[in-house]
Amino acid sequence: MKETRVIISGGGTGGHIFPAVSIANAIKEIRPDAKILFVGAEGRMEMQRVPAAGYDIKGLPVRGLIRPLWSLKNVGVLLDYLKSKRMVRNTIREFKPQVAVGVGGYASAATLNAAYEMGIPCLIQEQNSFAGLTNKTLAKKARKICVAYEGMERFFPKENIMLTGNPVRQELCSDITHEEAAKAFGLNPGKPTILMIGGSLGARTLNNSVLSALKTIGESNVQFIWQTGGYYKDTIKKELEIKGKPENLFVYDFIKNMDKAYRIADLVISRAGASSISELCLLGKPSILVPSPNVSEDHQTHNAMALVNRDAAIIVRDAEAEEKLIPMALQTVADKRRLDILGTNARKMALLDSARIIAEEVLKLADETQR
């Protein structure tokens, strides 16, 4: 049998990149000699994160459509897409993959469309409970569609769907103790702790919710770990210099040791991106979810409600967050019974070994191509 070669495409946010890297790692665990090439969008996060994870990546000049769709600027977007597709065709000729995997994001449309036209079997992984435009348009061309939620036949051909869950970062499942996690952040292991994460790029609403409640936070007996996102780093630094930073507020633009952050957290405040939700369920973490209103098809609200409807999370609407979020968080973290219920129900929703299950499907498609 020939050497296994896999192309994985997608990115734009950590929500696409983390699952993609997890799938690649699982493929390498099963078949260490497999060759994996990533295809991403130039200037996007994947161009740094994928090489940092040890994989090669090709960048495309692809970008998203501009609203309104009739804008003349979309002529340039279309030309970049066509150029990207030609580049992918050349990459496929050189790399000779037996299978192409798409995880969503601008690059995956050009990559999987080119792969399909060249007879390469395709697998797509949809992280959200409400399918994204890219994956919806690719669905008919995919041999296998790996999903994280039930009921996805309303978007995809039922016969090709497989419920696998979302791959999460393997390093989150470490054996670190509560005390070790507290020490890593300089926290008191005996005090309740709230972790606030706005995704890899940050979230303006979550940040403003903290800034508008500094006095309330400072007067509480609760420790806050706050990931602001690099984009907001300088603005928040200036705001805290003016208003004063409470001693119980620990501020980071990006948290590298997320396993420790999750371990010490009694309650997590987060956007409702698919990867974040999968992590919360896997770790059985009580959470307050604030869905971003700035995403296609309002899919974060759909993601959040899948948990809320099972009493596995609390939802606070983006428009109400500045007023309600911090008071709600302080009330919830003080209610041990409520935390236990939320965490237990979240863990029940976890789908385990997602990355390995998807990797096995990828390798099946690759092996079929070689027969």
Side-chain angles (χ1 to χ4, degrees):
M1 189 178 283
K2 287 193 299 183
E3 183 179 65
T4 301
R5 290 176 170 263
V6 180
I7 275 184
I8 301 178
S9 184
T13 67
H16 291 312
I17 299 164
F18 295 141
V21 170
S22 294
I23 293 167
N25 291 342
I27 290 170
K28 294 290 277 185
E29 282 179 18
I30 299 168
R31 203 166 290 179
D33 59 347
K35 294 289 185 288
I36 298 172
L37 176 66
F38 279 76
V39 178
E42 290 173 356
R44 304 290 287 185
M45 188 190 296
E46 58 266 28
M47 301 309 293
Q48 284 77 46
R49 294 287 172 84
V50 168
Y55 295 100
D56 293 332
I57 186 167
K58 296 266 187 183
L60 305 176
V62 69
R63 51 204 170 102
L65 289 167
I66 295 161
R67 308 284 177 176
L69 293 178
W70 45 260
S71 169
L72 286 175
K73 292 179 181 178
N74 280 325
V75 174
V77 173
L78 178 60
L79 292 174
D80 282 344
Y81 170 79
L82 295 173
K83 180 183 177 182
S84 297
K85 205 168 156 188
R86 286 195 300 272
M87 291 170 67
V88 173
R89 293 178 75 90
N90 289 334
T91 297
I92 288 173
R93 290 189 190 100
E94 292 169 12
F95 186 67
K96 297 181 174 60
Q98 292 104 15
V99 59
V101 179
V103 296
Y106 304 142
S108 63
T111 302
L112 266 69
N113 273 312
Y116 175 79
E117 289 168 9
M118 296 177 75
I120 309 294
C122 300
L123 176 147
I124 59 176
Q125 196 258 328
E126 174 56 60
Q127 296 99 29
N128 295 295
S129 62
F130 199 95
L133 179 61
T134 298
N135 279 347
K136 279 194 282 190
T137 58
L138 291 170
K140 291 181 181 177
K141 299 172 183 178
R143 297 264 193 96
K144 187 69 69 175
I145 303 164
C146 298
V147 301
Y149 294 90
E150 295 173 349
M152 297 301 284
E153 56 272 10
R154 67 192 193 277
F155 304 112
F156 304 130
K158 187 176 182 179
E159 62 275 13
N160 294 338
I161 294 174
M162 184 174 184
L163 183 64
T164 60
N166 282 324
V168 301
R169 294 172 279 183
Q170 288 96 327
E171 64 268 23
L172 296 180
C173 303
S174 67
D175 295 326
I176 191 158
T177 66
H178 184 88
E179 287 69 25
E180 287 170 335
K183 187 177 179 181
F185 289 97
L187 301 176
N188 181 338
K191 284 189 174 183
T193 303
I194 294 173
L195 170 64
M196 177 176 278
I197 44 176
S200 50
L201 300 175
R204 181 185 287 122
T205 299
L206 299 192
N207 291 342
N208 287 345
S209 298
V210 174
L211 291 172
S212 62
L214 291 173
K215 187 172 183 290
T216 303
I217 290 169
E219 291 173 350
S220 74
N221 190 41
V222 176
Q223 302 167 126
F224 282 75
I225 302 174
W226 177 23
Q227 179 180 276
T228 65
Y231 182 81
Y232 301 101
K233 177 183 176 182
D234 294 335
T235 307
I236 286 169
K237 186 180 178 183
K238 288 176 186 173
E239 285 281 333
L240 291 176
E241 284 173 359
I242 294 167
K243 296 179 178 179
K245 184 183 80 65
E247 289 185 5
N248 57 336
L249 180 64
F250 297 79
V251 187
Y252 301 85
D253 59 307
F254 183 75
I255 299 171
K256 292 181 181 177
N257 47 350
M258 278 301 297
D259 60 329
K260 297 182 179 72
Y262 275 130
R263 183 68 184 86
I264 190 63
D266 297 289
L267 176 69
V268 180
I269 297 171
S270 175
R271 284 302 201 190
S275 289
S276 297
I277 283 182
S278 294
E279 291 172 359
L280 293 168
C281 290
L282 182 69
L283 299 171
K285 283 292 168 182
S287 63
I288 298 178
L289 302 173
V290 187
S292 171
N294 306 314
V295 293
S296 60
E297 314 283 2
D298 195 26
H299 69 248
Q300 286 204 4
T301 296
H302 293 275
N303 291 347
M305 291 309 299
L307 271 68
V308 173
N309 290 337
R310 298 194 186 188
D311 203 17
I314 296 166
I315 189 171
V316 171
R317 303 290 177 181
D318 189 87
E320 301 175 329
E322 283 192 44
E323 178 190 350
K324 294 183 178 179
L325 182 57
I326 299 303
M328 172 71 76
L330 291 171
Q331 178 186 333
T332 304
V333 82
D335 187 342
K336 181 71 168 62
R337 185 171 176 275
R338 185 79 182 113
L339 292 176
D340 287 344
I341 291 169
L342 292 169
T344 299
N345 289 340
R347 188 175 279 109
K348 287 177 183 175
M349 293 184 68
L351 291 166
L352 306 178
D353 298 323
S354 298
R356 186 174 184 87
I357 293 166
I358 295 168
E360 287 170 350
E361 292 303 311
V362 172
L363 292 173
K364 279 181 195 173
L365 289 176
D367 293 346
E368 287 171 10
T369 307
Q370 297 187 59
R371 284 176 191 154

